[in-house]
Amino acid sequence: MFCFSLTFHYICRMKRQLNFRALCLYTLLLIIAPCCQAQNYSYGTRFTLSARNFVDSIPIEFIDNQIYIKAYTANREWRFCLDTGSSQGILYTDSKLPRHRLLGKIMSHDANGVANKVDVVEFPDFRIGHLVIHGYAGTLLNSHVAHTDYDAVLGFDLVNKGLTMKLDVAQKVMVLTDIAGFFDNEGGYAVKYRLPRWVPIIQVSPYAGCTDEVRFDTGSRRLYVMSNESRRKFTALYPDFSTQVEGTSYGRRAIGSFGTERSDEVAFLWLDGLQWGDFAFLDYHTMTTQGHSRIGAEILRYGSVIMNPKRKQLIFQPYGDNESCMVSNSQMDIAFIPDRGRPTVGMIWEGSRHYKSGFRQGDRILSIDGHGIVSFQQFLSYPFIQGHVHEFTVLGIDGIVRTIESER
């Protein structure tokens, strides 16, 4: 009996100790949980503006189908790229623009649909035009191999903040306003947009009967590229769509924030017309991509665009009075991508002039006109001369070094 009492007493004591430890552990988890939660950043437009009831005309540059804006901090001028395909700002790890503070982490998706969890940082206060922006947030990404000439990115959150934006590259200006209805008396061709992942998605028609959901993405340079998914769907539903396909190849060309797209079939398209609402872009050469279908900044060569967040509308205002315009561009038949940091042929169309001059899939550029090329950035910044024949030294996938003379 005595032994039983001691044993029972010992068991009760152990249970009290275990309960106490469990309570301590539970309390500790309650304390830690908010801290862990604070490490996650949710998308928002919490930045503030220095003005209300304003209209500001902000000078822009339009170079190689990209929009650049001068931004100013307390003691320096910077160059920002306007990318409506990005939900918020972007700052690269090699940028000299200072980071004010770390805000947390967020799941980010690039143009190729690749997702990754990245840091979000707060920009320093900066001014564009007369407008000072405080507390602007941006994802922090590794050095972007495809950019060499800007310090940071402004995203579509400027519009999601409630600002109406007009881009007019003919006048070299971006008009920003928080006044509702400011552009209501202006005409144009309006299309509605949705905001999955906080970037604008609209519908266009690349062929009669076909409706493609595309991202309005000024970070993309081309007027229009079609996703492989859309192309396969249209080919299955509309047998006549095959008349829009000039040829096919296999490779990759699109460079996203987290690397190049995967290798897949590439279709070269020659569209009779691309419909934006009731407006048509006629005789247009383009191709497919493994990422999203996109309308890019090249559209601004043919007219201005108004982004109206209140009505969820994008309004295209052509520079002429016609309901269509002839594009009649040449086909892009070769693409270079970074492979282990070196410029490499990622895609080429057999039968193209570049193929006939000697380029092949997988060729790595060693030198141009006798100048050694050691990085993709160096290739991008090389001073090619339009119409001039350059001499390329390449290393093929067979290990053989060749010399090619070709226009770039």
Side-chain angles (χ1 to χ4, degrees):
M1 189 70 170
F2 176 72
C3 293
F4 176 80
S5 299
L6 284 177
T7 302
F8 179 76
H9 175 74
Y10 177 75
I11 291 174
C12 292
R13 181 181 175 185
M14 289 297 295
K15 287 177 66 177
R16 285 197 299 270
Q17 289 178 347
L18 288 172
N19 288 339
F20 177 73
R21 290 174 183 171
L23 179 62
C24 291
L25 179 61
Y26 178 72
T27 304
L28 182 62
L29 289 174
L30 288 177
I31 295 172
I32 292 175
C35 299
C36 295
Q37 184 69 23
Q39 292 177 357
N40 292 323
Y41 178 85
S42 60
Y43 174 83
T45 55
R46 294 176 282 275
F47 56 91
T48 58
L49 310 173
S50 62
R52 290 184 178 179
N53 298 317
F54 71 92
V55 179
D56 199 0
S57 296
I58 301 168
I60 60 175
E61 296 177 287
F62 190 63
I63 302 173
D64 194 20
N65 293 339
Q66 292 279 263
I67 304 162
Y68 300 109
I69 303 167
K70 290 182 180 179
Y72 303 87
T73 56
N75 57 0
R76 184 167 171 179
E77 177 184 295
W78 307 89
R79 199 183 199 199
F80 288 178
C81 178
L82 179 67
D83 183 356
T84 59
S86 178
S87 60
Q88 59 185 9
I90 298 174
L91 190 61
Y92 296 102
T93 53
D94 61 346
S95 174
K96 295 181 179 179
L97 182 72
R99 309 161 202 168
H100 189 265
R101 63 189 175 108
L102 181 66
L103 298 176
K105 289 184 176 292
I106 195 170
M107 188 62 70
S108 177
H109 298 76
D110 71 4
N112 295 325
V114 180
N116 200 2
K117 202 165 191 178
V118 296
D119 288 330
V120 180
V121 295
E122 184 179 303
F123 284 37
D125 291 359
F126 62 90
R127 175 175 60 84
I128 53 174
H130 298 94
L131 192 66
V132 177
I133 300 179
H134 170 76
Y136 189 73
T139 52
L140 182 65
L141 301 180
N142 289 330
S143 304
H144 197 335
V145 295
H147 94 82
T148 57
D149 48 8
Y150 56 90
D151 301 291
V153 166
L154 292 176
F156 197 69
D157 48 357
L158 285 178
V159 178
N160 288 338
K161 182 72 173 177
L163 302 183
T164 302
M165 177 188 295
K166 180 176 181 178
L167 295 173
D168 188 340
V169 302
Q171 301 297 322
K172 298 181 179 179
V173 69
M174 174 178 74
V175 181
L176 275 182
T177 180
D178 64 346
I179 300 174
F182 184 80
F183 294 107
D184 282 358
N185 293 328
E186 298 193 15
Y189 297 86
V191 294
K192 288 283 189 179
Y193 69 80
R194 301 184 300 108
L195 282 174
R197 293 179 185 161
W198 305 105
V199 293
I201 301 294
I202 64 173
Q203 290 187 343
V204 298
S205 176
Y207 187 63
C210 303
T211 299
D212 196 11
E213 286 207 331
V214 305
R215 177 182 292 183
F216 181 71
D217 181 2
T218 58
S220 179
R221 298 177 189 271
R222 296 179 66 84
L223 170 61
Y224 169 69
V225 292
M226 181 187 293
S227 71
N228 262 356
E229 181 182 355
S230 293
R231 181 241 167 166
R232 289 166 182 148
K233 179 180 71 174
F234 298 151
T235 301
L237 293 177
Y238 307 97
D240 289 345
F241 184 76
S242 60
T243 63
Q244 308 295 290
V245 180
E246 291 185 277
T248 60
S249 183
Y250 193 86
R252 50 190 178 142
R253 53 164 291 275
I255 305 171
S257 299
F258 305 124
T260 56
E261 64 186 353
R262 68 186 186 277
S263 291
D264 199 352
E265 185 180 54
V266 178
F268 299 91
L269 307 176
W270 189 355
L271 302 179
D272 297 334
L274 172 70
Q275 289 284 148
W276 169 299
D278 294 325
F279 189 86
F281 299 91
L282 304 176
D283 187 26
Y284 183 61
H285 287 88
T286 187
M287 61 181 58
T288 58
T289 178
Q290 280 75 66
H292 305 283
S293 296
R294 295 188 291 274
I295 292 284
E298 187 182 7
I299 193 175
L300 297 170
R301 294 190 175 277
Y302 305 97
S304 57
V305 173
I306 297 173
M307 291 162 253
N308 187 328
K310 184 176 180 181
R311 296 185 177 179
K312 294 288 192 300
Q313 283 182 337
L314 301 182
I315 304 167
F316 176 71
Q317 299 177 317
Y319 293 134
D321 295 329
N322 297 326
E323 294 180 349
S324 64
C325 67
M326 295 293 295
V327 179
S328 301
N329 61 322
S330 58
Q331 181 62 274
M332 178 180 176
D333 54 26
I334 191 171
F336 294 88
I337 61 168
D339 184 7
R340 288 169 285 184
R342 299 276 190 147
T344 303
V345 176
M347 177 276 299
I348 188 168
W349 183 13
E350 292 186 19
S352 68
R353 62 182 180 88
H354 285 105
Y355 190 89
K356 292 176 181 178
S357 68
F359 281 109
R360 294 295 182 267
Q361 187 85 13
D363 281 349
R364 182 174 299 174
I365 308 299
L366 301 179
S367 68
I368 304 174
D369 300 329
H371 302 285
I373 303 296
V374 298
S375 69
F376 190 70
Q377 288 88 343
Q378 188 179 5
F379 172 77
L380 290 177
S381 59
Y382 190 84
F384 291 106
I385 301 172
Q386 186 174 1
H388 179 75
V389 176
H390 295 274
E391 184 180 87
F392 297 81
T393 301
V394 304
L395 174 65
I397 58 175
D398 56 5
I400 297 175
V401 176
R402 310 188 313 277
T403 299
I404 300 169
E405 292 186 347
S406 178
E407 290 184 25
R408 176 72 176 96

